[in-house]
Structure formats: C-alpha cells, structure tokens
Amino acid sequence: MKPYSLHFKAEKMELDASTARARVDRAKHEIQGGWFDNKAIRRNYFSIDKIHFGYQPPHRSRVIRKPAEKDAWWNVNPQKRSKKQRQQEAKNRKARGEQPSVHAIGIVGYNYKSPFLFYKIPGNVTGKMTSQIYIQLLKPLLKHLEDHYSHRDFILWEDGDSSHRFTKNNVAYKWKKRNSYKFVRNVHNSPKTNWIESSVKRLKSYIRKYFFDGEAQLKELVQESWNGLNQEKINNDLDSMPQR
C-alpha cells in the first residue's frame, strides 16, 4: 500500500507598496522612541485581538490529500450530501442558535493573560466586529487589566479593524480617548508585528489535534486551549519584538 501523505498548497503573499512604507515608518518611529529596546517600556504594552474559530457540520472532516490521490481506493471519502440536505442542516443549526464559527477576544502581555470572552454579532455569522460590541467587550477586559496592575498606564496594541479605526468619528476610538486609555495601532497586513498572533497560532494548532462536534464542544476546547497557553512563551513573544 502506498504510504499516506498530506499535501498543502503554499500561498505566497505579495507586499504592496503602502504596507511596505507603513512598516518602514513604524520601525523608524519605534527605534526613535525606544519602544522595545527598553524592557520597562516594552512590558507596558498589551496586545488585544479577535480570534475566529470555524467548524464544519458533524461528520464532515477536512482532509487534505495529494490531488492525484484524492480518489484512490485506499482513501476514505466523506459521504456527499445533496443541496437539500445541506440547507436542512443549516436550518437545524439556526434553530439551535448555532453559528458556523466561534468568536472570542483576549489580551496578552508580560506575565499577563486576560479572561477569554466569547461573543456573537447579531445578524452576522462571520464575527465582523462592530464598535458598540467592541466597547462592551473592552470594558470587562480593561477592568481586569487595571485590577491586575492597580493602574491604567498600560498601552493597548490593536489591529486596524474598522470597528476601532483611529479616526475622530469612530465610536470606540472616542470612548477610549474619553476614558484616557493609551493605545497604538499595528501596521495593516502585518500580523508578525503583533505578538498575540503567535499565541493565536498555538491556540489553533492545539484545537486541530482534537475532534469536536458543534459549537458547544468547540467553545470548551477553545477555552481549554486559552487556559493552557504558556505564559513564558507569551513573554518571549513580547521580548522578541525588537527583531520583528
């Protein structure tokens, strides 16, 4: 029997000119300001991110095979379902209040990991954040951070999502300014310069090891994965920022 092997298609991402300029400008700004050279300053940054975990209906496994072997006799293929069956499954999930994905948000920093909050966006299954929901989630997360350090001198490191865009008319932006929170935005299309992304990779790598059936089991697994994140690795991720 021919040995089984996985086949992954490598994706090459091109760096556009605006992203390249933004990365250079940010690097110059960080160097001039000594953002990450000084450990005391570096460890005052805390990274926040929204994380999405998708899942398929029960008994639909995602297996990647070599194209030439996907229909070979030694491979087991899932039973195909008709369009009518898929539509009925979608109706059943909707009736149970389930969505085809689970969304959560959390904060990591030096010697710190926040509670992991699950959220849903009404009428939206993709988890695209809104400013109002973002504020609702920020309130308990930042309260936990303040209680942990007994101050609010920390700096929140955010991505460039439109729900908290750095514009004077953005509701979340105005709320943070009004409440005297400090924050910076990560360069767009640059996940490597946001150290929480390393934790996200560990989360999803852990979850891929296990079978789960539906939203409830996935949430349980996600929470288990978050609780198990190694704090020393998170600290190392932050300390690696000068090299990123």
Side-chain angles (χ1 to χ4, degrees):
M1 180 179 293
K2 192 172 182 179
Y4 174 80
S5 60
L6 296 177
H7 174 72
F8 295 90
K9 181 181 178 181
E11 295 185 6
K12 184 178 180 180
M13 296 184 63
E14 294 185 2
L15 186 65
D16 60 85
S18 65
T19 302
R21 285 195 302 271
R23 289 183 183 180
V24 171
D25 291 343
R26 168 57 63 82
K28 289 179 180 178
H29 190 50
E30 290 172 359
I31 292 171
Q32 291 171 358
W35 287 16
F36 296 110
D37 290 335
N38 187 311
K39 281 188 177 182
I41 297 176
R42 181 166 69 234
R43 292 173 181 178
N44 211 31
Y45 286 97
F46 294 84
S47 179
I48 183 171
D49 199 13
K50 303 164 290 296
I51 309 171
H52 311 285
F53 305 87
Y55 68 90
Q56 295 179 334
H59 314 302
R60 293 288 294 174
S61 298
R62 180 175 180 270
V63 180
I64 303 175
R65 302 187 178 97
K66 288 184 177 181
E69 299 176 354
K70 66 184 182 68
D71 295 319
W73 63 269
W74 60 80
N75 282 329
V76 178
N77 290 300
Q79 182 180 1
K80 293 183 178 180
R81 299 163 302 155
S82 65
K83 182 178 179 180
K84 187 175 181 179
Q85 287 175 317
R86 295 196 300 272
Q87 290 175 338
Q88 186 59 48
E89 287 177 0
K91 288 181 180 179
N92 293 341
R93 290 197 302 275
K94 186 175 181 180
R96 294 193 297 268
E98 293 184 357
Q99 296 181 339
S101 53
V102 165
H103 317 289
I105 187 170
I107 299 175
V108 297
Y110 192 80
N111 287 338
Y112 179 80
K113 181 173 58 179
S114 76
F116 206 42
L117 304 184
F118 293 99
Y119 67 90
K120 289 185 178 181
I121 306 296
N124 179 349
V125 298
T126 65
K128 181 68 178 74
M129 185 63 76
T130 66
S131 295
Q132 293 295 345
I133 298 294
Y134 189 65
I135 293 172
Q136 291 176 23
L137 294 166
L138 271 185
K139 288 179 179 179
L141 287 173
L142 295 180
K143 177 67 166 56
H144 186 274
L145 192 53
E146 288 178 41
D147 291 345
H148 185 82
Y149 286 99
S150 301
H151 65 75
R152 60 165 58 181
D153 291 334
F154 51 81
I155 303 169
L156 199 62
W157 191 281
E158 299 176 301
D159 61 18
D161 190 88
S162 60
S163 62
H164 48 83
R165 184 173 292 153
F166 284 38
T167 58
K168 63 181 181 180
N169 294 323
N170 183 276
V171 176
Y173 177 85
K174 290 192 291 186
W175 180 86
K176 288 179 291 184
K177 295 285 282 186
R178 187 167 60 250
N179 288 276
S180 302
Y181 287 113
K182 301 174 184 177
F183 49 93
V184 295
R185 183 178 63 178
N186 190 48
V187 176
H188 60 278
N189 297 329
S190 305
K192 287 186 178 180
T193 56
N194 190 351
W195 65 97
I196 195 175
E197 295 294 344
S198 299
S199 294
V200 173
K201 288 183 179 179
R202 296 183 192 112
L203 286 174
K204 296 190 174 184
S205 177
Y206 177 88
I207 291 169
R208 290 190 188 101
K209 297 176 183 178
Y210 299 93
F211 172 82
F212 56 86
D213 188 354
E215 181 180 347
Q217 288 187 16
L218 176 55
K219 278 188 174 181
E220 183 178 346
L221 191 57
V222 168
Q223 187 64 63
E224 179 182 307
S225 179
W226 178 261
N227 294 343
L229 282 177
N230 185 294
Q231 186 61 56
E232 185 178 354
K233 289 183 178 180
I234 294 175
N235 294 349
N236 291 337
D237 293 335
L238 176 55
D239 285 338
S240 71
M241 283 298 289
Q243 287 77 47
R244 293 192 178 211

